[in-house]
Amino acid sequence: MTSIGGAEMVDWNLAVATATRLVRPGPDISREEAREVVAELRRHAKSAEEHVRSFTRMIPEGTEPEDTPVLVVDRAGWIRANVAGFRELLRPLLEKMQDRRGNSPGGAVLGAVGGKVTGVELGMLLSFLASRVLGQYETFAPAGRDLPGSADGGGRLLLVAPNIVHVERELEVDPHDFRLWVALHEETHRTQFTGVPWLRDHLQGEIQSFLDETDVDPMTVLERLREAAQSLAGGRPEGEDGEDGGRSLVEIVQTPAQREILGRLTAVMSLLEGHADFVMDGVGPEVVSSVGEIREKFQQRRARGASRLDQALRKLLGLDAKLRQYRDGERFVRAVVDEVGMDGFNRVWTSPNTLPTKAEIAAPADWIARVHRKAES
């Protein structure tokens, strides 16, 4: 019973195995072409670093922040990297849930099967996401044998080669321009975290505070994962909304304190995503000749979405909120830069107190009044 009760809440190895087995195959591409794509993405990541630093002016000349690795990965590599990150980030919450499970009726039975069930269901969700992500700056990235990280565990940049090739073909855009355009967006995220030393710890603190406030029965979490997995497998009637009205996995576990934290996190993520979109479009005209065509087609793809099943999963996983973050955050950054210039905008990186609130993301003039007018008075 002690052995069963000590079983992990999530079988992480099974999650990786399940996701890797179920993920869709990548585009049809020869071995030689694949090598050329990988080499080009690495070159673009290096050149994007110079372009982004020059445009954003976030990193003073003569300073060199700690280097973080750039990894060009396939879908299985993205899965392994994200499982490692989830495992590290969610450790406190899972330990809390495991303690609660051990003290509850039927806890031993849940310990025997729950970890494997959750591992399979998490794997199904990751297999869905693994074919959609073009690139990602992993802020919380523990280094492993096959997945190097920075010296202090502070992050790594992932570019998912098969997904980039798939989208450039789908949009029928210049592949070389599109690869650089994607690299500019992801490099902006790397610059944000390497150029603002306090940002990673601040974000991690907010996430841990959110998790610390979580008071949810383990079976509820398992049920939510099951609903998402059933949707993915077609086991849930299309268009059916549960008693939660189609709320996302994040929304269903919120306490009042969590709603406050989530509001701050939403504002930060809107800023980071919108800033990245603003930068890649700002740099684009000088280095990506077809940036106008790429942006138009990519925006149409975002707005169009996919099937109703895809849209339902996006809602359940909170991905529709992420799309709003791109739009709202970019609008905020553009309005502030238009009003006070790039250096004026960069005051946002001074401290956690100068980050915009969720309300200020929607009202950039209020942020300007708070941060600039107050400083000048």
Side-chain angles (χ1 to χ4, degrees):
M1 294 296 289
T2 302
S3 174
I4 292 175
E8 280 198 90
M9 291 291 296
V10 180
D11 187 329
W12 299 104
N13 291 332
L14 185 56
V16 171
T18 301
T20 302
R21 185 175 68 253
L22 295 179
V23 71
R24 297 174 181 176
D28 187 19
I29 187 172
S30 69
R31 187 182 298 271
E32 180 60 31
E33 187 179 1
R35 282 197 292 264
E36 292 175 357
V37 170
V38 170
E40 183 175 15
L41 285 173
R42 287 176 176 154
R43 291 195 303 270
H44 284 331
K46 184 62 179 177
S47 63
E49 181 179 0
E50 300 172 4
H51 295 309
V52 168
R53 290 187 182 186
S54 174
F55 183 81
T56 64
R57 302 200 289 274
M58 290 179 63
I59 299 175
E61 291 187 20
T63 63
E64 192 63 33
E66 183 174 358
D67 190 30
T68 53
V70 176
L71 306 180
V72 180
V73 298
D74 57 11
R75 291 170 177 173
W78 181 88
I79 289 167
R80 290 194 299 272
N82 276 265
V83 166
F86 288 154
R87 185 172 190 170
E88 186 67 23
L89 192 62
L90 296 178
R91 188 186 306 277
L93 174 62
L94 294 180
E95 288 176 352
K96 177 180 178 180
M97 291 174 62
Q98 189 161 331
D99 289 342
R100 179 169 178 173
R101 180 194 65 191
N103 295 327
S104 65
V109 175
L110 181 60
V113 299
K116 293 192 180 299
V117 170
T118 311
V120 168
E121 292 172 342
L122 177 60
M124 293 179 71
L125 297 181
L126 287 171
S127 72
F128 168 80
L129 295 172
S131 62
R132 287 159 170 77
V133 177
L134 301 182
Q136 174 185 1
Y137 182 75
E138 274 201 292
T139 314
F140 313 106
R145 183 176 57 185
D146 300 325
L147 292 164
S150 64
D152 64 351
R156 58 182 165 234
L157 180 62
L158 305 179
L159 295 172
V160 190
N163 296 350
I164 293 172
V165 171
H166 171 78
V167 174
E168 69 192 25
R169 290 179 177 179
E170 178 187 334
L171 298 181
E172 298 182 333
V173 294
D174 182 279
H176 309 294
D177 281 1
F178 184 75
R179 293 165 196 173
L180 177 55
W181 189 71
V182 171
L184 289 169
H185 181 100
E186 303 308 329
E187 176 56 39
T188 302
H189 286 316
R190 184 164 72 148
T191 298
Q192 289 164 348
F193 283 94
T194 57
V196 184
W198 54 264
L199 184 58
R200 178 179 180 271
D201 288 342
H202 171 72
L203 192 59
Q204 185 173 31
E206 292 280 55
I207 292 172
Q208 290 304 328
S209 294
F210 182 90
L211 297 178
D212 288 344
E213 289 289 336
T214 299
D215 185 19
V216 62
D217 184 81
M219 290 303 296
T220 302
V221 175
L222 293 179
E223 181 60 28
R224 289 303 148 191
L225 284 172
R226 189 166 294 112
E227 285 183 15
Q230 287 174 351
S231 294
L232 186 60
R236 183 178 180 183
E238 194 171 301
E240 177 183 303
D241 287 330
E243 61 182 7
D244 295 297
R247 288 186 291 165
S248 73
L249 283 166
V250 171
E251 290 172 320
I252 61 144
V253 298
Q254 284 184 57
T255 65
Q258 283 179 310
R259 280 193 288 272
E260 292 185 16
I261 298 168
L262 190 62
R264 296 195 297 269
L265 279 170
T266 298
V268 173
M269 298 311 297
S270 296
L271 170 69
L272 299 180
E273 296 293 0
H275 183 235
D277 264 12
F278 175 80
V279 170
M280 73 177 181
D281 285 346
V283 173
E286 295 184 6
V287 299
V288 181
S289 58
S290 59
V291 65
E293 177 192 2
I294 291 173
R295 165 54 79 185
E296 181 180 359
K297 289 184 175 180
F298 196 76
Q299 290 286 54
Q300 290 173 353
R301 183 179 185 269
R302 275 183 181 171
R304 185 171 62 248
S307 66
R308 290 184 66 188
L309 173 60
D310 186 81
Q311 292 170 1
L313 275 167
R314 296 178 76 90
K315 172 64 178 176
L316 184 60
L317 297 172
L319 299 182
D320 53 345
K322 186 174 178 66
L323 292 180
R324 288 195 300 272
Q325 288 169 3
Y326 285 108
R327 182 191 64 226
D328 298 344
E330 195 273 342
R331 193 177 298 151
F332 169 85
V333 175
R334 185 172 301 280
V336 172
V337 171
D338 286 347
E339 181 69 22
V340 297
M342 184 64 75
D343 291 333
F345 165 79
N346 281 340
R347 287 194 189 181
V348 78
W349 313 116
T350 304
S351 75
N353 293 330
T354 56
L355 291 172
T357 64
K358 187 177 179 180
E360 288 171 341
I361 287 288
D366 292 348
W367 179 86
I368 294 172
R370 178 172 67 87
V371 174
H372 281 266
R373 308 290 185 262
K374 184 177 179 180
E376 293 166 2
S377 61

